[in-house]
Amino acid sequence: GIQARLNAISAVTNYKPSTAPMNFSETKLTEFFGCNVFNEKVMRERLPKDVFKSLQKTIELGEKLDPSIADIVANTMKDWAIEKGATHFTHVFYPLTGLTAEKHDSFLTPDGKGGALAEFSGKMLIQGEPDASSFPSGGLRSTFEARGYTAWDVTSPAYILENPNGTFLCIPTAFLSWTGEALDKKTPLLRSMQALNTQAKRVLKLFGIETKLPVIAFAGPEQEYFLIDRNFAFSRPDLLIAGRSLFGARPPKGQEFEDQYFGVIPRRVLAFMMEVERELYKLGVPVKTRHNEVAPSQYEIAPIYETGNLATDHNQIIMTTLRSVAKRYGMLCLLHEKPFAGINGSGKHLNYSIGNAELGSLFDPGDTPHENAKFLVFCAAAIRALHKFGPMLRATVASASNDHRLGANEAPPAIMSMYLGEQLTDVFEQFKQGKVNGCKQKCVMNVGVDTLPPLPRDPGDRNRTSPFAFTGNRFEFRAVGSSMSIAGSQVALNTMMADSLDYIASELEKAIGGDASKLNEAVQSLLQKIMVEHEAIIFNGDGYSEAWHKEAERRGLPNLRTTPDALPMLTKPEVIELFTKYGVFSEAELRSREEIYLEQYCKTVKTEANLVIRMARTIIFPAAMRYQGELATTCANLKAAGHDYQMVTLEDVTAKLRSMQKAANELEKLLDHEAASVLEEARHMCDAILPAMNDVRKWADSLETIVADDLWSLPSYQEMLFIK
Ligand code: ADP
Ligand code: MG
């Protein structure tokens, strides 16, 4: 990669900030934040009072939108957007590809007299009609109409996206078929929030707690990513097309020095980060932290947690912004879960809690015995939920790219388990023992009477190997991949929690029969029962260890290593029952998702396999053959000069070239395959194609370590990861 290397070096040394730096001593950050959002402040200022109140009710209390106010809201929104320079509006939606989709329409309407008006009606705000036929629908389309519609999500505010050549208004929407089937990631999320609210309120009521706000889920996703110079990507079709390197020998220096994590951020990268943050501030995304991650050229950005739905939309905005700003700085942002083999991958830790502004987090232990009792019940609900539906939750993070990360040495294994920390585990263990007498020091606790021993609110000794860890006032789900939408896992978590809270509420209601004085006793025995049945999910040890894999098997916790193992969990009878019971997915919607995600898996692997063959033949083979030619010439010259010369390197190159060619041919043959079902096709991709791709790579990477550097045109790991 000589030319790419030189271009990258020049890009690193000559970069200029893409816009003038912002002077935050002149512009107050607090005023700048959210300046492009049609937020509460703007609405309060601009909407008639009764309209504002009605809309606020819909947003905060989840009440139905009053259609009669739509025209006024739309008109106000349009005026605001046009003042900001917008010419178009778009309904933004989240199809099952995991990406963000937008369809732009102009505000302009001809006035019939050769001129034009700016128009935006309530109807245009509330509903859009993109052609749905090019989005995956997984069988939903064959039985229903091809068209779909987008519906305004009042709870996620509209915003303005600025572009040097034009500005437009974005309206977050749900995306449905005309028969009401969800074609997107947002609709089920909103449905799952409702289920969670209903069941959480039943439990709270037993504790005598009324809250006028809905109980919601909070999400705080930590986004990891890689940044490399774009010049390298131009000569790496794999990075450009697949988002990961399909070839590349291990560099002499990887991440073993541990000198990157929290290290000083390179200048160009820091400039990039600041511009990303500035763009995000304008859109009201509360980004808070930035730092170097463990791998070279790997970084993290994390916002402050928000309502699950908003956090999901904001995470999509974060991913889009990272990609687009990187380009302006001559860099490529890789959101792939494993762009570089042998180097840490990227995840998206999903910090998850439930509660609301009045109650705070229901996973917060609290200070009084009564608060503790409530906490224990919600925590027990999570234990039961994860034990019952762990495999389904695992399926929500299954993808071709995340398969390379889960179970590797830096990410949690594919076995779902829960880290509670020793103290909390001990507390639950005591409930399980259920014997009030006969203890020496640690007496069995009485629910609602004893206060919990002080639990670490922010435990320092975080267990990084657990996929689902309690971290003081929330759970951290660490299996989500860096490129994924966080919607799917939240849908699963909300619905699993709703199911367990439903169970708990029913059991407690039955046990106390309206007599509140019996609550503590009833909670005590319910906690015991839950622990007896579901304790197997709790594991505080090293999740990376071989011993845990054995132990998990003994406990009956499945290890669904790959996507074809995991995705069928979405349509297990108990999973269909769960989602239909709470109105989150119909059976058809679930089946469509299983099919779409399996199809995506197959397409991804197939594309990579074709790339492997193409690159092996057109990039690696020619480079190695040129070197072979040079060696052969040298060898012949030496012999002519009277040396009895046997060149080891020439033999080596020749043998490896031959092996690589053979492996590429083998891979090509395997790709010619007919499968009876998409699941079988996925299995073939997993069991036959991926190993065959690795085989080609093995020989190519080995050639990279012997072929002359000036002949090797693929940028090396060393160049990509360390020139910054
Ligand atoms: P760490 O890397 O130590 O886990 P970070 O500060 O990078 O911590 O990320 C923690 C994330 O968890 C942030 O997005 C934070 O806002 C979020 N978070 C904190 N409290 C809660 C909570 N109660 N519910 C959901 N997310 C939370
Ligand atoms: Mg974290």
Side-chain angles (χ1 to χ4, degrees), residues 222 349 351 462 464 476:
E222 302 162 44
H349 293 174
N351 292 271
R462 299 269 188 97
R464 293 266 162 202
E476 189 170 317

Side-chain angles (χ1 to χ4, degrees), residues 127-407:
Q127 195 166 300
E129 275 184 57
D131 183 355
S133 59
S134 294
F135 290 105
S137 79
L140 291 178
R141 196 181 310 126
S142 55
T143 29
F144 303 99
E145 264 202 277
R147 283 184 311 155
Y149 72 95
T150 51
W152 182 31
D153 170 16
V154 187
T155 59
S156 185
Y159 54 92
I160 295 273
L161 269 190
E162 288 172 345
N163 207 297
N165 293 315
T167 290
F168 52 97
L169 171 69
C170 296
I171 300 151
T173 60
F175 180 39
L176 301 106
S177 76
W178 280 106
T179 41
E181 311 264 345
L183 297 172
D184 70 343
K185 303 233 173 204
K186 184 188 273 288
T187 306
L189 182 56
L190 295 174
R191 291 176 185 161
S192 70
M193 292 269 218
Q194 273 179 12
L196 177 67
N197 176 39
T198 309
Q199 303 307 330
K201 282 210 162 142
R202 281 179 64 205
V203 173
L204 288 172
K205 192 160 171 235
L206 290 164
F207 282 88
I209 298 168
E210 300 274 346
T211 167
K212 54 179 199 311
L213 299 175
V215 176
I216 53 172
F218 292 111
E222 302 162 44
Q223 177 74 52
E224 292 180 333
Y225 59 95
F226 279 84
L227 270 185
I228 62 161
D229 193 280
R230 254 183 118 197
N231 289 297
F232 295 130
F234 293 141
S235 18
R236 297 244 10 174
D238 47 355
L239 285 183
L240 219 50
I241 305 293
R244 75 170 176 118
S245 56
L246 297 167
F247 295 98
R250 305 292 143 94
K253 180 186 169 187
Q255 61 187 52
E256 58 281 79
F257 287 92
E258 296 168 335
D259 51 358
Q260 155 85 6
Y261 191 54
F262 286 180
V264 177
I265 301 170
R267 242 172 49 135
R268 180 168 62 149
V269 173
L270 189 59
F272 153 85
M273 287 176 168
M274 287 173 169
E275 187 158 335
V276 165
E277 285 164 17
R278 191 166 111 186
E279 296 285 311
L280 292 172
Y281 287 154
K282 284 196 265 187
L283 300 175
V285 182
V287 276
K288 180 85 171 162
T289 61
R290 57 174 179 232
H291 61 80
N292 276 9
E293 259 302 327
V294 172
S297 288
Q298 190 190 29
Y299 310 95
E300 182 183 297
I301 179 170
I304 297 171
Y305 69 97
E306 301 176 279
T307 308
N309 179 38
L310 198 54
T312 306
D313 290 1
H314 280 169
N315 181 250
Q316 297 288 130
I317 293 180
I318 289 177
M319 291 195 285
T320 314
T321 307
L322 286 171
R323 284 197 178 104
S324 64
V325 175
K327 273 188 199 160
R328 289 186 228 153
Y329 282 82
M331 297 189 282
L332 178 70
C333 174
L334 296 167
L335 293 172
H336 193 285
E337 283 78 1
K338 195 82 173 179
F340 304 100
I343 303 279
N344 267 19
S346 298
K348 183 141 55 190
H349 293 174
L350 174 62
N351 292 271
Y352 174 85
S353 65
I354 61 182
N356 65 29
E358 276 179 356
L359 304 166
S361 168
L362 293 165
F363 293 136
D364 197 319
D367 303 313
T368 65
H370 191 67
E371 282 171 349
N372 285 170
K374 181 187 68 184
F375 161 73
L376 290 170
V377 161
F378 279 90
C379 204
I383 293 171
R384 178 179 179 273
L386 191 66
H387 189 231
K388 278 190 78 181
F389 296 110
M392 182 272 288
L393 182 65
R394 157 70 182 98
T396 65
V397 296
S399 76
S401 49
N402 209 22
D403 278 5
H404 297 290
R405 170 180 165 261
L406 288 183

Side-chain angles (χ1 to χ4, degrees), residues 83-105:
E83 273 170 43
K84 297 238 162 225
T87 54
H88 289 64
F89 69 93
T90 172
H91 278 201
V92 175
F93 54 104
Y94 307 96
L96 297 175
T97 52
L99 303 172
T100 305
E102 26 181 79
K103 177 176 177 264
H104 296 223
D105 280 289

Side-chain angles (χ1 to χ4, degrees), residues 602-618:
C602 294
K603 282 183 198 160
T604 304
V605 179
K606 198 167 185 177
T607 305
E608 289 184 350
N610 282 321
L611 265 169
V612 162
I613 297 171
R614 181 73 57 90
M615 289 174 71
R617 288 181 182 159
T618 65

